[in-house]
Amino acid sequence: MMQGLDQQLRQQAYEEVNKYREVVEADPYRLAYHVMPPVGLLNDPNGFIQYKGDYHLFYQWNPFNTGHGAKFWGHYTSKDLVNWEHHDIALTPSDWFDKNGCYSGSAIEHDGQMYLFYTGNVKDENNNRESYQVMVESKDGFRFEKKGVVLHLPEDYTPHFRDPKVWKHGEYFYMVIGAQSLDETGKAVLFRSKNLENWEHLGAFAGAHIGSFEDFGYMWECPDLFELDGQDVLVFSPQGLEPSGTYYQNLYQAGYVIGKLDYESIQYNHGEFVELDRGFEFYAPQTTLDEKGRRIMIGWLGLPEEREEDHPTIEHKWVHAMTLPRELKLKNGKVYQLPVEELKELRSEGVKYEAVNLSSKAQAFEGVEGDAIEINLETLETVTSTITIHIRNHANLVYNPTDKLFKLDRISYVDGETVEERFCHLNQLKSVRMFLDTSSIEVFINDGEEVFTARIYPDVEEKGISFAASGTENVSIEAWKLNN
């Protein structure tokens, strides 16, 4: 491989980190307890795996500016999913098969070694794209050797063919790739191997027709197939869905279908597509199975192409972050998301208010304020009037039991004036668990039945949080300051 170019690119990236370190760290919107890039642009989580006791999280990284250029793989590790350590660059776009970017992929352990798989992106002078699936070997999880291309583009697909996720089932390894077929519809394409190097094309096992949709998006990105409570869940990020009522309101979506994959016939019978997150910024999630048997997911707390250049952090030379890690569980045919138990380690002093009567006059509570805080509200009776949580004079959480709608609204970071809204249908509100960080919010409703994720940019001096109801509602409120 081209070691000289690899070292040159690494050195240039580290120079950018050092050059802008003070500018980045001076940003008041720098997050307190989320994974972020040291400089530049971060997007998809990659290679999420627990290996030799450590959680490894790689990420798409452009260290040279806050736009989407030739991507590197940055690298974090954690022993507890709470405290993350940044490491040397894992992959650079330094070879003929990835010269325009080491795109997204996954990690797997085999015979004590870590193997990474990613898409090498190549473009010619006319911007025509080529894509190659590349294998990387590591004996320790910190030093990486590209072994080269293991999969070329099959027939029937455009070069939008990327994001390999690899797992083992029975005696075979399997790889699912997000693809666009020649008729410009999205597909999930399956491959099989006995040795991780030679891959057999089994064909597309999902795509195009989902429920009443004849054409479910023109491209599927970041597929991830895994078993959860006896069912096979396919998570993917379709592009090209049109808004429908309260659904598909973002430029691109991320969600899942549930079914059962027949590995012999390569038939996958599944249900309807369900959005994983109802907020403004959530995309390209990836999961791993840890040593405790938990299926854990991390997503990109961002969204490609949608007003990225307007984020206030741009002037401080960085943009985007990762979501908090979430444990996935299957309940009543639906994927629930719960913040991992380890996040309780972030808690410092806490307060609790029991049997609070909310009314039309907004109430604030001592100790329930700040820009890095966890808040848990539980309803003590059936909710019959509208409940509102007002956040830092910038965003609101609202549940309307008449319309059975839960809403997150915020002031747009584009113009600082427009109020933007996202909704989900909710038969009854039982609990709201909110993680507020300096410039982000993650909301878990009814123990993860629905989730909202967003970036928010309130005035840095605004710390207040208040609660109100259009009638009288009996709730309990608990809150903790979060430190990292």
Side-chain angles (χ1 to χ4, degrees):
M1 304 303 172
M2 300 179 66
Q3 295 299 324
L5 180 56
D6 175 84
Q7 291 304 317
Q8 179 183 339
L9 289 171
R10 288 172 186 271
Q11 182 61 35
Q12 290 173 351
Y14 296 140
E15 288 174 359
E16 289 294 298
V17 172
N18 292 328
K19 180 179 178 181
Y20 292 111
R21 188 184 305 275
E22 291 184 4
V23 175
V24 171
E25 293 178 354
D27 188 357
Y29 292 125
R30 198 77 170 147
L31 293 157
Y33 54 90
H34 283 76
V35 167
M36 301 171 288
V39 70
L41 177 140
L42 167 151
N43 60 303
D44 303 3
N46 293 161
F48 186 30
I49 188 173
Q50 189 177 21
Y51 174 72
K52 295 185 177 180
D54 291 331
Y55 293 94
H56 291 254
L57 178 64
F58 303 87
Y59 65 93
Q60 292 283 281
W61 184 28
N62 180 4
F64 301 120
N65 59 62
T66 52
H68 289 270
K71 300 294 177 58
F72 294 60
W73 272 34
H75 186 195
Y76 277 96
T77 64
S78 175
K79 294 188 179 300
D80 57 9
L81 295 169
V82 177
N83 302 287
W84 294 90
E85 180 182 356
H86 200 257
H87 296 280
D88 289 343
I89 293 165
L91 301 176
T92 67
S94 56
D95 289 274
W96 67 265
F97 48 74
D98 62 12
K99 68 185 183 70
N100 295 106
C102 299
Y103 276 20
S104 289
S106 59
I108 188 171
E109 181 177 358
H110 176 55
D111 289 341
Q113 297 193 158
M114 180 192 293
Y115 292 86
L116 306 179
F117 292 84
Y118 72 94
T119 299
N121 184 48
V122 176
K123 294 182 180 179
D124 65 18
E125 61 275 6
N126 297 316
N127 212 35
N128 295 310
R129 182 191 301 265
E130 298 174 7
S131 62
Y132 304 93
Q133 311 312 314
V134 184
M135 184 174 75
V136 178
E137 184 180 85
S138 176
K139 292 179 170 57
D140 59 5
F142 296 98
R143 291 169 293 179
F144 303 92
E145 180 185 357
K146 295 178 186 177
K147 306 303 286 188
V149 176
V150 295
L151 185 64
H152 292 262
L153 179 66
E155 295 180 357
D156 302 327
Y157 305 103
T158 76
H160 290 285
F161 190 85
R162 53 184 175 265
D163 311 334
K165 180 67 189 290
V166 178
W167 71 100
K168 191 171 187 184
H169 178 83
E171 61 179 310
Y172 288 101
F173 297 98
Y174 290 85
M175 175 192 294
V176 60
I177 290 180
Q180 180 185 70
S181 60
L182 293 178
D183 64 0
E184 296 188 348
T185 59
K187 295 285 190 293
V189 185
L190 195 63
F191 295 81
R192 180 171 64 189
S193 173
K194 285 190 174 181
N195 59 11
L196 292 174
E197 296 182 23
N198 306 108
W199 293 90
E200 176 190 1
H201 180 204
L202 301 177
F205 68 96
H209 306 293
I210 292 185
S212 60
F213 289 86
E214 292 297 316
D215 179 359
F216 201 75
Y218 59 78
M219 173 62 191
W220 287 11
E221 291 195 308
C222 303
D224 188 350
L225 184 75
F226 54 88
E227 184 177 325
L228 199 61
D229 195 23
Q231 296 291 305
D232 292 319
V233 179
L234 175 65
V235 168
F236 61 102
S237 296
Q239 297 181 330
L241 302 184
E242 294 295 326
S244 175
T246 62
Y247 300 104
Y248 318 141
Q249 291 297 311
N250 294 325
L251 180 61
Y252 302 132
Q253 322 307 321
Y256 65 91
V257 294
I258 299 174
K260 197 67 179 176
L261 175 63
D262 187 326
Y263 281 86
E264 296 302 319
S265 64
I266 318 302
Q267 297 294 314
Y268 181 55
N269 298 314
H270 59 78
E272 297 281 353
F273 178 80
V274 180
E275 290 176 271
L276 274 164
D277 196 289
R278 308 296 186 171
F280 295 92
E281 280 89 23
F282 180 88
Y283 196 70
Q286 187 170 101
T287 76
T288 193
L289 187 68
D290 77 355
E291 294 169 358
K292 297 179 180 178
R294 300 178 298 180
R295 178 61 59 173
I296 300 174
M297 180 180 74
I298 291 179
W300 174 27
L301 216 169
L303 200 62
E305 302 176 34
E306 191 164 52
R307 309 177 309 183
E308 288 181 288
E309 70 280 1
D310 293 313
H311 281 275
T313 64
I314 293 287
E315 64 182 273
H316 285 270
K317 307 296 183 182
W318 73 282
V319 67
H320 300 316
M322 293 297 178
T323 69
L324 295 174
R326 307 167 180 183
E327 182 180 0
L328 303 184
K329 295 187 176 183
L330 195 61
K331 297 182 182 180
N332 302 317
K334 183 179 177 66
V335 173
Y336 278 58
Q337 304 170 58
L338 293 168
V340 294
E341 190 72 14
E342 290 91 332
L343 291 171
K344 290 179 180 178
E345 295 177 19
L346 290 169
R347 294 173 179 175
S348 57
E349 64 268 24
V351 294
K352 186 171 185 178
Y353 296 87
E354 301 189 62
V356 173
N357 286 316
L358 300 183
S359 65
S360 58
K361 183 179 180 181
Q363 301 178 63
F365 300 90
E366 185 176 353
V368 188
E369 70 277 324
D371 59 9
I373 188 170
E374 177 189 347
I375 299 171
N376 188 27
L377 178 147
E378 294 189 4
T379 62
L380 302 179
E381 300 170 352
T382 300
V383 175
T384 57
S385 62
T386 299
I387 291 179
T388 300
I389 305 175
H390 188 51
I391 303 161
R392 300 182 64 192
N393 201 31
H394 184 84
N396 295 285
L397 300 174
V398 183
Y399 177 63
N400 184 326
T402 302
D403 297 335
K404 297 192 180 303
L405 288 175
F406 190 100
K407 177 181 72 170
L408 166 65
D409 67 47
R410 70 176 180 191
I411 298 174
S412 169
Y413 58 79
V414 177
D415 60 16
E417 296 179 359
T418 305
V419 176
E420 305 172 316
E421 301 176 322
R422 292 290 183 269
F423 296 87
C424 76
H425 294 278
L426 194 70
N427 286 328
Q428 184 55 247
L429 179 67
K430 299 176 183 177
S431 65
V432 177
R433 188 176 177 191
M434 176 176 65
F435 286 80
L436 188 64
D437 205 340
T438 317
S439 58
S440 73
I441 184 171
E442 293 174 70
V443 184
F444 301 84
I445 304 162
N446 294 351
D447 292 326
E449 178 184 352
E450 296 287 354
V451 184
F452 286 77
T453 300
R455 294 303 297 273
I456 59 173
Y457 298 101
D459 188 301
V460 294
E461 302 301 323
E462 290 279 4
K463 309 290 187 183
I465 299 167
S466 62
F467 304 79
S470 60
T472 300
E473 298 296 338
N474 193 15
V475 303
S476 69
I477 299 170
E478 196 167 10
W480 300 265
K481 304 293 184 185
L482 300 181
N483 298 318
N484 196 9

